[in-house]
Amino acid sequence: MTEHTLTVAGVAVDTRHWIGGERVASLETFTDVSPIDGSTIGEISRGTATETAAAVAAAKAAFPAWAATSRAERARILHAIADGVEKRIEELAIVETTDNGALLRSHRRGVMPRVAHNFRFFADWLLKLDHEDFETRGHTNHVSWDPAGPCVLITPWNAPLMLATWKVAPALAAGNTVVLKPAEWSPLTASLLADIAAEAGLPAGVLNVVQGYGSEIGDALTSHPDVRRISFTGSVPTARRIAESAAGNLTPLSLELGGKSPLLVFADADLDLAVDLAVEQYDNAGQVCLAATRFLVDESVVEEFTRRFVLKATALRQGDPRDEATDIGPNIHPRQLEKIDGFVRRAIAAGARAVIGGHRKDGQYYAPTLLADVAQDSEIVQEEVFGPVLTLQTFATEEEAVRLANDTRFGLAATVATGDPERAERVTSQLVAGTVWVNCFFVRDLQAPFGGSRHSGVGREGGTWSFDFYCDVKNTVTAPNGWKNHG
């Protein structure tokens, strides 16, 4: 081990940046703390404009050769990265649980296998990416996807490696080079990804990882004239700053932002299913952008729905996320916990009633909370909390349910519970959301478009939509008689 290596649950993690195929240390560091018990994990290299400039320069230098690499070879390397992830699932899982507090069982069984799938999916999609040629007055139109250049990818702390590779994989598959900036509250698995990618044979400079505070290095990355794409997942205020920074160079943006999604429960719904869907919204201690945090329930069934929900929600086990029996772990950071508690305290002061929860617990744990008697225009209904806090409202008619569902500035997702397929079709056609689930939740396919409406985001990624964003899409038109002098 060296002075730049941490041992996290028995796993060696390098704390330095990864730039141009080499480890690079900064003069300053920042402290990484585990939300499980507040213990210090270690000191992480704290990037400055110097490191960001070096990373972009490395990505720019590596771009021509990687862009010229055949689709088959790029796909082979992405599959090799997936192989490396699968060999280290247990290590990646325990490191990320230590770093961000999400359930170890979820990391083992779902999240880290999805990380590998991200690389495999986009490798395979690259090989079949095509658009059929078409004719215009005898001329042939041929559509192609050209690599755009260096990409800056800024990722969140709630699902660090899964959401990072959701961006890294298509960007690399498209023939671009990458500068990845992981969230400062959960940087460790991005460092491990750099090791895995290098071992898989990814050329130096194609993937670069720069750690640090967004407030200190974000602008240097997003305003850089050599950056050709920026993809960001996070808050609306940060997205505004990124958009302003990128505007000078007209750098294209993909923004996946906040949500305040509804769960609509109609009287004809299977109530047991509806309650299961409702309790699922406490996943990852409520730190899921897609979570349906606003329950809109038909007034004729709200009493029974609430009774069943309370029984099921209060049976959830909250505690150490490394314990297989735990259902809800801690929130990521004391600052986030204070934010969550502030939302709840203000809501209760304004007249809301805590059906369950409504208070902090020891450490960085917040009790699963359901607030009733909330006004539609109240802060707790309109603003994203990003914690285990849900609200309950009622509706009398289908029209009122749709109106309430759409009455926020967000539009990321929505969930509908109903036993009537015709109602499902009517309601989903009117909901403002990038994704709508009917009688299910969190079923995700990488070939589907993903993104938000209104303040929940700009653009769509997934399948060909990802390549549309990470590439310069070109149409080549060829005349029918242009070859008569050839040969």
Side-chain angles (χ1 to χ4, degrees):
M1 298 297 173
T2 71
E3 63 176 313
H4 299 297
T5 303
L6 297 176
T7 300
V8 182
V11 182
V13 184
D14 201 302
T15 63
R16 295 171 291 180
H17 314 287
W18 178 254
I19 300 174
E22 298 180 350
R23 288 292 178 179
V24 176
S26 295
L27 294 176
E28 300 293 330
T29 63
F30 64 93
T31 303
D32 189 26
V33 176
S34 176
I36 298 173
D37 55 11
S39 61
T40 296
I41 298 174
E43 297 297 314
I44 312 298
S45 279
R46 181 173 175 172
T48 67
T50 299
E51 288 84 12
T52 59
V56 174
K60 181 180 180 182
F63 172 67
W66 182 244
T69 300
S70 71
R71 286 188 177 191
E73 177 63 6
R74 274 186 258 150
R76 185 193 67 77
I77 292 176
L78 263 62
H79 274 290
I81 295 174
D83 292 340
V85 169
E86 289 176 345
K87 290 175 183 176
R88 301 186 68 177
I89 279 180
E90 183 64 25
E91 294 180 8
L92 292 166
I94 189 60
V95 169
E96 189 146 297
T97 290
T98 303
D99 206 16
N100 88 327
L103 298 184
L104 180 58
R105 73 182 192 210
S106 295
H107 280 140
R108 283 172 170 156
R109 300 171 192 172
V111 177
M112 295 309 162
R114 165 66 185 271
V115 168
H117 179 61
N118 284 344
F119 285 103
R120 295 201 192 284
F121 172 87
F122 285 107
D124 293 342
W125 200 266
L126 169 66
L127 296 180
K128 64 182 181 182
L129 183 66
D130 193 21
H131 190 294
E132 185 177 352
D133 289 353
F134 55 98
E135 298 294 320
T136 304
R137 297 190 300 278
H139 296 64
T140 300
N141 292 262
H142 176 74
V143 177
S144 59
W145 287 261
D146 294 350
C151 301
V152 165
L153 311 179
I154 303 173
T155 55
W157 44 259
N158 59 321
L161 192 57
M162 191 271 283
L163 292 178
T165 55
W166 156 252
K167 301 175 187 295
V168 169
L172 296 182
N176 298 322
T177 52
V178 166
V179 178
L180 171 63
K181 193 279 178 193
E184 56 266 29
W185 288 351
S186 56
L188 299 183
T189 48
S191 180
L192 293 176
L193 176 64
D195 294 336
I196 291 169
E199 292 166 4
L202 190 70
V206 175
L207 172 65
N208 306 275
V209 179
V210 179
Q211 302 151 157
Y213 293 111
S215 58
E216 295 178 350
I217 62 175
D219 184 67
L221 287 170
T222 56
S223 66
H224 200 293
D226 291 332
V227 170
R228 295 292 177 258
R229 295 290 188 275
I230 299 169
S231 181
F232 168 73
T233 297
S235 71
V236 173
T238 301
R240 288 196 181 101
R241 292 194 292 271
I242 290 173
E244 291 170 358
S245 179
N249 298 313
L250 295 178
T251 308
L253 300 170
S254 177
L255 304 173
E256 180 201 333
L257 309 179
K260 197 67 181 177
S261 303
L263 165 60
L264 291 77
V265 180
F266 290 94
D268 55 21
D270 177 335
L271 275 193
D272 286 334
L273 171 63
V275 168
D276 286 343
L277 296 174
V279 173
E280 194 174 348
Q281 308 312 312
Y282 288 129
D283 182 50
N284 201 18
Q287 298 168 142
V288 177
C289 59
L290 291 162
T293 56
R294 296 184 295 131
F295 297 169
L296 305 175
V297 183
D298 189 296
E299 61 187 15
S300 67
V301 297
V302 68
E303 184 175 341
E304 181 62 16
F305 170 87
T306 304
R307 184 188 70 80
R308 297 189 197 185
F309 175 84
V310 169
L311 284 174
K312 198 170 187 71
T314 53
L316 295 173
R317 294 186 58 174
Q318 187 167 26
D320 191 323
R322 296 167 294 193
D323 187 336
E324 281 279 319
T326 297
D327 299 305
I328 301 178
N331 290 99
I332 182 74
H333 192 275
R335 194 186 313 161
Q336 183 67 16
L337 192 71
E338 185 59 37
K339 176 186 172 185
I340 294 165
D341 192 46
F343 271 112
V344 174
R345 285 186 284 106
R346 290 190 298 273
I348 291 175
R353 171 175 56 90
V355 178
I356 60 171
H359 57 87
R360 299 171 65 152
K361 303 177 79 172
D362 292 338
Q364 288 174 211
Y365 295 79
Y366 202 89
T369 297
L370 177 65
L371 299 176
D373 303 334
V374 292
Q376 179 64 22
D377 61 354
S378 63
E379 177 192 56
I380 197 66
V381 169
Q382 293 293 324
E383 297 298 326
E384 184 178 46
V385 178
F386 221 61
V389 178
L390 311 171
T391 61
L392 175 64
Q393 298 169 271
T394 63
F395 61 82
T397 66
E398 184 179 299
E399 292 72 22
E400 183 183 14
V402 171
R403 178 180 62 78
L404 292 173
N406 288 337
D407 188 21
T408 74
R409 62 193 174 105
F410 296 104
L412 187 56
T415 303
V416 178
T418 178
D420 183 346
E422 293 180 355
R423 166 173 278 152
E425 185 175 354
R426 284 195 308 272
V427 170
T428 57
S429 70
Q430 299 175 72
L431 292 174
V432 179
T435 300
V436 181
W437 287 287
V438 179
N439 295 328
C440 60
F441 177 67
F442 219 62
V443 178
R444 292 277 306 276
D445 192 311
L446 288 178
Q447 66 183 314
F450 180 76
S453 304
R454 296 176 176 168
H455 284 197
S456 286
V458 175
R460 296 291 185 273
E461 295 186 40
T464 300
W465 289 274
S466 286
F467 288 96
D468 287 346
F469 172 69
Y470 287 111
C471 292
D472 291 324
V473 183
K474 178 191 293 179
N475 186 46
T476 300
V477 184
T478 303
N481 300 314
W483 317 117
K484 60 182 180 180
N485 296 321
H486 179 68

